[in-house]
Every structure is written in structure tokens, then in C-alpha cells.
Amino acid sequence: SNYLSNKKTIMEYFSLQTNVNQLRIGRDVSKGIGNELGNYVVATMEIPWNIIKKSIGKSPTHIINVTSVEMNWIDQEIKKIPEFDTIVGIGGGMAIDVAKYIAWKLNKKLVSIPTILSVDAFTTPAAGVRVNHDVQYLGHSSPDPLIIDYNLLRSAPKELNIAGVGDLFSIHTASFDWKYANSKGKSEYPYKEEALLGGEKILEFIYNNIGNIRENNDNGLRAIVEAYISLNTICLPIDHFRIEEGSEHYLFYELEERLKRPFIHGNIIGLGIYLMSRLQNNKPDFITEIMNESNLSYHPKHMNIQKDSLQESLLSLKKYVKAKDKLWYTIIDDSEIDNDWVSENLINLIF
């Protein structure tokens, strides 16, 4: 059952805070988009660009080949751009985040064309850039349009779209963290029960679509996008993503800073959910079963994470979050992660 059908019309749905000015969704809807734009610049990577360039229509005036989301790197790239009106992000989270940052920084129009659904970046306002491998969420931009082309998405390996469930399953652990922080009098925001209930509805919607998501069919791809947009309608009015970001993301931040390399976002969030649901004692078997059913690639082996790196990361996690003021209060703050806990909870992970 698609809970979005409770909202009477699609127009009414978009009068809510979605951060998406216009959505085009369907097969081949990215074709010829270049013909609608004035001087436009593309932020992309080699694989997605090679797939789309033949059908984009009029060519861009400049192409940024995204190899980093470090702010200094993007600022250097900006200096090379000729006069333009629109920035088009084409690819995964990194390409989209670079486009969002540029749109915000230079006050240009943004068009987002995700070629994989591995992260919710193409719907959220802030750009997730890095400053010395440390995540910073900066600025505000809205895609106009956001283009969800099913055939384009299906030209990527299935697992890269399935990875999109990571930023949705994280509601399971993040909402627990917010509830927990509130119970300790440590919530940084007014506690909103209805936001948590909204999050539960999104999880239910995704559970109901798990077969479609695993198959990578139109309905599965659409379900991920609709869930992300629904998440915005809950989180943007309260001005934070506490129901979706918590301890599971913090393990990812620690690992990224430690290993200094990017990851397929949803996969590493899945690993965070696996471990933090156990730390929280929060239905770990249930959420693991659901992740398995979706075919999410959350095992360390899929990400080339060595056992000793993950052990060290977990043992350092509490110190890591305490040292970063901007991170919210979660289960990690009161946890005692020791060698015994680590060995016990890594047993069923595949390295």
C-alpha cells in the first residue's frame, strides 16, 4: 500500500516542503534535456557521462569531472568554469553534491539527474562536502527539475540503486537515537512524536516495496525516490534530519576519516545500521533480515573494509563523536564498546 495516496493530489503533495521544484519521472525523461537549457555546465563522472552524453541534446559549455567532494577541490574547479546559467549534476552522490554546492555558491539554477539512487543527496537542500575528510553540510539548493529516468538508472549495476535503501533503513536506528537522547534530556531539538511516526510510515512503505526494490523495476525505483521526498516533508519543516541520521551515520563518518576514501553511501550506512542496532538493542535481527531481503551490500567485504580497520573504528567511535561538537547525542555517547563487544558483533559479518 502506497501511503502517499492518502495525499489527495500530486499538486497538494508538492505544496508541502519537498525541496524539489519540479519532478520528472519515467522512462527516458532525461533525453534532450540539454536543448532546454541555456549555457550549462555538467558535474559528472566518466561512467555516467558516457551513458548520457549521446542523448542529452545540446552539449554543455564545460564538464567538471568529479574526483573529490573536498571543498578546496571544488573551489579550484569553479575558477575554470566559463559563463553559464545552469549547473547539471549527473551521477551519484558526489557529482550531485558538487553541483549543489556550485548552484548555491554561485547562485545558479540546478538540474539533478541521478544515475544511481545510492544516497538521498539529490533531494536534500544542503551539499555534503568535505573539509579534510570531515563531512560538512553547506548551503541550500533545490533541483529544477529533478529528473528520475528509470532506464538511465537501470543502466547502472542493480546494487547501486538498491543502496538507496540505506538512507531510509537508517530511520530505524536514527529515530531510536533521537528517542534515546530525548529520554536523557539531551535532544538538541524539540522532540516531535509525529515526526517519528512519519518515519515509521516511510519504513513500512519501503518494507512493502522490498521485492520491487530488489528487482530494480520502475515501482521499486519510484518507491525509493518517493520515500526520500516524503522524508523531506517531515524533516524540512522541523529543520533537521534527526529521524534519519544518527549513530549509523557516525560510524560511517569515522570510517571515512580513518580510511580517507569515499564509499557507496547506502552500503556503508547499512553496515552502520547492522552494528548500531545491536549496540542499541533495537530489533537487530528484524532490521538485518529486512536488509538481507533487499540485497543491500552492507558487508565489509563489499566495501573492502578490513577487519582490523572496523575494530579500531568501533573502539574509537565514542572518543570520535565526543570530540565533534556538531554531532548529535546518540547511543554511542553512553556506550562501552570494548574488544569483547566488537568480536561478538563482528562474528556474522563477511570480510
Side-chain angles (χ1 to χ4, degrees):
S1 68
N2 179 346
Y3 73 94
L4 290 176
S5 57
N6 305 345
K7 312 221 166 68
K8 290 169 213 59
T9 65
I10 197 84
M11 278 325 295
E12 195 180 330
Y13 173 46
F14 278 94
S15 70
L16 295 164
Q17 264 181 283
T18 61
N19 195 52
V20 176
N21 292 336
Q22 185 201 143
L23 173 66
R24 295 188 197 175
I25 186 162
R27 295 183 181 182
D28 299 324
V29 290
S30 64
K31 287 209 159 133
I33 181 70
N35 302 334
E36 295 176 40
L37 306 173
N39 287 336
Y40 75 98
V41 169
V42 164
T44 190
M45 288 184 179
E46 197 180 345
I47 294 172
W49 179 241
N50 282 335
I51 292 167
I52 200 174
K53 68 180 180 191
K54 297 182 271 299
S55 61
I56 202 164
K58 191 188 72 174
S59 294
T61 51
H62 182 76
I63 296 170
I64 300 166
N65 182 28
V66 176
T67 56
S68 169
V69 281
E70 283 284 337
M71 195 165 78
N72 287 340
W73 183 89
I74 309 170
D75 288 337
Q76 289 307 310
E77 289 298 310
I78 285 175
K79 294 176 182 164
K80 307 173 191 169
I81 305 178
E83 206 34 57
F84 74 105
D85 319 304
T86 302
I87 176 93
V88 184
I90 301 173
M94 288 173 70
I96 301 277
D97 275 323
V98 168
K100 285 162 69 176
Y101 176 81
I102 293 172
W104 164 66
K105 192 123 194 220
L106 302 182
N107 196 20
K108 302 291 186 183
K109 188 177 136 161
L110 172 69
V111 175
S112 291
I113 311 178
T115 56
I116 56 174
L117 299 183
S118 60
V119 59
D120 66 2
F122 59 85
T123 57
T124 55
V129 298
R130 304 293 187 273
V131 178
N132 300 324
H133 301 281
D134 180 30
V135 177
Q136 308 270 352
Y137 290 105
L138 298 178
H140 192 289
S141 58
S142 304
D144 188 9
L146 165 61
I147 298 178
I148 302 294
D149 185 331
Y150 297 139
N151 287 340
L152 184 61
L153 290 166
R154 268 194 295 268
S155 68
K158 241 185 214 180
E159 67 153 314
L160 298 181
N161 293 321
I162 290 172
V165 296
D167 268 345
L168 297 165
F169 289 157
S170 63
I171 295 169
H172 177 83
T173 41
S175 293
F176 180 99
D177 281 323
W178 190 17
K179 228 177 265 192
Y180 176 77
N182 186 60
S183 75
K184 298 274 178 192
K186 303 272 192 178
S187 175
E188 302 79 3
Y189 305 100
Y191 186 68
K192 293 237 184 323
E193 192 63 48
E194 60 274 35
L196 290 155
L197 290 171
E200 275 171 32
K201 276 190 181 156
I202 291 177
L203 281 176
E204 235 164 89
F205 171 62
I206 290 299
Y207 301 156
N208 290 335
N209 275 284
I210 219 102
N212 290 325
I213 288 167
R214 197 176 52 234
E215 291 310 309
N216 233 23
N217 63 32
D218 291 5
N219 288 338
L221 297 170
R222 184 182 184 102
I224 292 172
V225 175
E226 283 193 349
Y228 285 161
I229 292 175
S230 301
L231 189 62
N232 279 352
T233 66
I234 296 167
C235 297
L236 296 178
I238 58 178
D239 207 30
H240 65 84
F241 277 77
R242 196 87 162 78
I243 68 165
E244 182 273 329
E245 172 158 341
S247 53
E248 74 299 314
H249 273 71
Y250 297 172
L251 177 63
F252 150 57
Y253 295 157
E254 204 289 339
L255 276 165
E256 190 181 62
E257 217 167 292
R258 172 179 296 276
L259 301 175
K260 301 190 167 25
R261 61 184 172 89
F263 293 93
I264 298 299
H265 184 79
N267 293 350
I268 196 151
I269 297 305
L271 177 61
I273 295 165
Y274 179 92
L275 289 162
M276 294 302 110
S277 65
R278 282 161 175 74
L279 191 64
Q280 295 169 337
N281 240 330
N282 171 22
K283 302 188 192 153
D285 296 336
F286 166 74
I287 194 66
T288 302
E289 194 183 327
I290 296 273
M291 290 198 297
N292 291 342
E293 216 180 302
S294 72
N295 276 349
L296 181 65
S297 304
Y298 63 87
H299 285 279
K301 183 186 173 161
H302 296 134
M303 290 167 271
N304 203 10
I305 295 171
Q306 310 302 317
K307 196 172 203 168
D308 57 352
S309 300
L310 186 53
Q311 282 167 330
E312 284 162 29
S313 178
L314 285 162
L315 292 170
S316 315
L317 192 54
K318 186 172 181 173
K319 200 171 104 223
Y320 174 85
V321 300
K322 296 266 192 210
K324 291 213 188 289
D325 293 341
K326 63 180 180 187
L327 298 184
W328 299 319
Y329 195 91
T330 68
I331 193 72
I332 299 166
D333 286 272
D334 296 324
S335 64
E336 295 305 329
I337 300 178
D338 56 15
N339 281 309
D340 288 348
W341 188 90
V342 172
S343 345
E344 198 180 311
N345 287 284
L346 297 192
I347 269 173
N348 294 317
L349 286 170
I350 302 162
F351 287 91

